[in-house]
Amino acid sequence: MTDSKAANQLWGGRFGAGPSAIMTEINASIGFDKRLWKQDIAGSRAHAAMLAKAGVLSAADNAAIQQGLDTVAAEIEAGQMAWNPALEDIHMHVESRLAELIGEPAKRLHTARSRNDQVATDFKLWVRDAIDQIDAGLVAFQRALLARADEHAETVMPGFTHLQVAQPVTLGHHLMAYVAMAARDRGRFADARRRANECPLGAAALAGTSFPIDRAMTAAALGFDRPTANSLDSVSDRDFALEFLSAAALTGLHLSRLAEEIIIWASQPYKFVSLPDAFSTGSSIMPQKRNPDAAELVRAKVGRLLGAFQSLAVVMKGLPLAYSKDMQDDKEPVFHAVDTLGLCLAAMTGMVETLVFNTAPMRAAAASGFSTATDLADWLVRAGGVPFREAHHITGRAVKLAEEKGLMLHELALDDLKAVDARITDDIYSVLTVEASVASRTSHGGTAPSQVRAAIAAARQELGL
């Protein structure tokens, strides 16, 4: 049988001539949708079992189909499937090979379904599996962050706004910010999974079917919560893919922010971290260089994730109900996003686990830039009953004096501070060190080591660790 005849037989009698080579090339999706083979076979198993229970398919035909699908799965797993562009997609490949193996019963498998509801089901199953894989990667990332945060719950570093030294914080607190981001990422993926977990199978081409099928049975067999409610929406919906890509893009943004910080921290002006050999490279001309290439590549790849969402959104934005061939372009952006995000998560987890934090430069930077100025203002409010706005101005004058003298705030003599405001006493020195500053930030979610350890414990409990 020629390739065109094989394809025509599956299309039916409507087409008399085979497609041109150009049409074959543009129409075929097997080059990428073969990744759906496990999901396609699972859907066919569930569909055949349901048809047999409904009396649409004989028990003997169902047994032959199930056995034949076992063989097809084994062949694909072993790399023995001959991928043929003339057969267009994974659905036709499975069905065609099944027909070669078991003959007539294979022709009955497609009863009461269409490639439209079939691909929607396969794709949902695949995205659901991808979400589970990404979630596992996010958990590993969180665990790595938690371990380093616990290690550095008391390590002082500068907290920045506008990339200027603002107030002292702890490194553990800083790392826990990314644990919080990852928790939101996991929540978005979980929400997307929950909404996606409705089964399109049985919607057929767009209008449902006249056969006495049991959609709840196939939904349950495939691990869905329920069948989808509207047949038109069932075959035309790609919200689940767009939601996945949106969550992936936000996750990528978070990874990119940490990657950017690692790049900054590893630079010579900062020297906050030393990069591990496994995640850095050298220069072809400058032997002293250690480049943060892994972090830079993670920072770059968020563009691909944003582009994947944009790509699919443009495909879907003007499509009338129900199915259009445009939707064949839904899978490549999602496949690419899953691969990209999985790689970025693995790289960032590895970097977090192996970075060497240089605590001395961190503490020195935390003490620079008059980072405890707010502590002076807060002390004036607490100890002197000074309104905060007035305390803010007094502190500003103290900072100006320290700048003129070339000193840090805690290095100013008490007489100098009293000259700024007579209400200042020697007790002020108890709040002007960076250690005292971070220790005082005991509000819920603050940077005090006690709060950091409480946040770590709560996160570990949430993760079941």
Side-chain angles (χ1 to χ4, degrees), residues 253-424:
L253 286 173
H254 293 152
L255 296 178
S256 180
R257 293 183 74 179
L258 179 55
E260 170 72 4
E261 294 201 304
I262 291 172
I263 292 163
I264 292 170
W265 293 349
S267 67
Q268 277 67 39
Y270 282 80
K271 298 182 180 178
F272 287 1
V273 299
S274 297
L275 295 169
D277 290 344
F279 293 98
S280 54
T281 65
S283 166
S284 63
I285 191 172
M286 295 168 284
Q288 83 281 8
K289 293 290 293 298
R290 182 188 291 267
N291 299 323
D293 284 12
E296 290 173 348
L297 288 166
V298 169
R299 184 177 60 179
K301 288 183 185 298
V302 69
R304 299 189 185 195
L305 298 173
L306 291 165
F309 177 85
Q310 182 74 2
S311 174
L312 184 53
V314 170
V315 168
M316 298 302 299
K317 70 175 181 62
L319 294 186
L321 297 179
Y323 180 84
S324 297
K325 192 70 170 181
D326 309 51
M327 293 166 69
Q328 181 169 292
D329 268 13
D330 59 356
K331 296 167 200 66
E332 286 180 286
V334 175
F335 293 162
H336 186 70
V338 171
D339 294 344
T340 298
L341 183 54
L343 181 60
C344 289
L345 274 169
M348 292 307 298
T349 300
M351 276 188 278
V352 168
E353 289 174 337
T354 56
L355 279 174
V356 176
F357 291 103
N358 302 322
T359 59
M362 282 187 173
R363 192 206 177 280
S368 68
F370 307 103
S371 63
T372 58
T374 303
D375 297 278
L376 171 55
D378 289 347
W379 182 91
L380 285 165
V381 172
R382 285 194 310 270
V386 181
F388 183 79
R389 282 302 172 199
E390 183 182 349
H392 186 281
H393 290 301
I394 293 168
T395 302
R397 293 198 300 272
V399 168
K400 183 178 180 181
L401 178 62
E403 282 182 321
E404 290 170 353
K405 289 179 172 287
L407 301 173
M408 305 302 295
L409 277 175
H410 71 274
E411 294 174 330
L412 285 172
L414 180 60
D415 287 343
D416 287 334
L417 288 169
K418 279 185 170 294
V420 173
D421 192 278
R423 289 166 289 192
I424 297 176

Side-chain angles (χ1 to χ4, degrees), residues 413-458:
L414 180 60
D415 287 343
D416 287 334
L417 288 169
K418 279 185 170 294
V420 173
D421 192 278
R423 289 166 289 192
I424 297 176
T425 70
D426 61 358
D427 183 56
I428 191 63
Y429 295 107
S430 67
V431 303
L432 291 183
T433 66
V434 290
E435 287 79 12
S437 177
V438 297
S440 72
R441 308 296 171 180
T442 55
S443 58
H444 180 76
T447 192
S450 60
Q451 285 297 314
V452 173
R453 290 197 172 93
I456 292 169

Side-chain angles (χ1 to χ4, degrees), residues 10 110 209 212 228 241 278 359 398 446:
L10 288 169
H110 210 54
T209 179
T228 49
T359 59

Side-chain angles (χ1 to χ4, degrees), residues 176-250:
M176 287 301 293
Y178 287 98
V179 174
M181 292 182 213
R184 292 196 298 275
D185 294 328
R186 293 186 64 210
R188 276 183 282 270
F189 281 117
D191 287 345
R193 193 188 194 284
R194 175 176 54 80
R195 275 185 290 276
N197 210 33
E198 296 183 345
C199 185
L201 197 58
L206 75 162
T209 179
S210 59
F211 289 96
I213 62 172
D214 184 349
R215 292 190 63 207
M217 178 180 172
T218 49
L222 294 169
F224 288 104
D225 294 332
R226 63 190 68 84
T228 49
N230 181 283
S231 61
L232 286 167
D233 182 54
S234 299
V235 299
S236 62
D237 165 47
R238 293 299 183 269
D239 287 2
F240 63 93
L242 285 164
E243 281 197 71
F244 171 84
L245 290 174
S246 175
L250 277 167

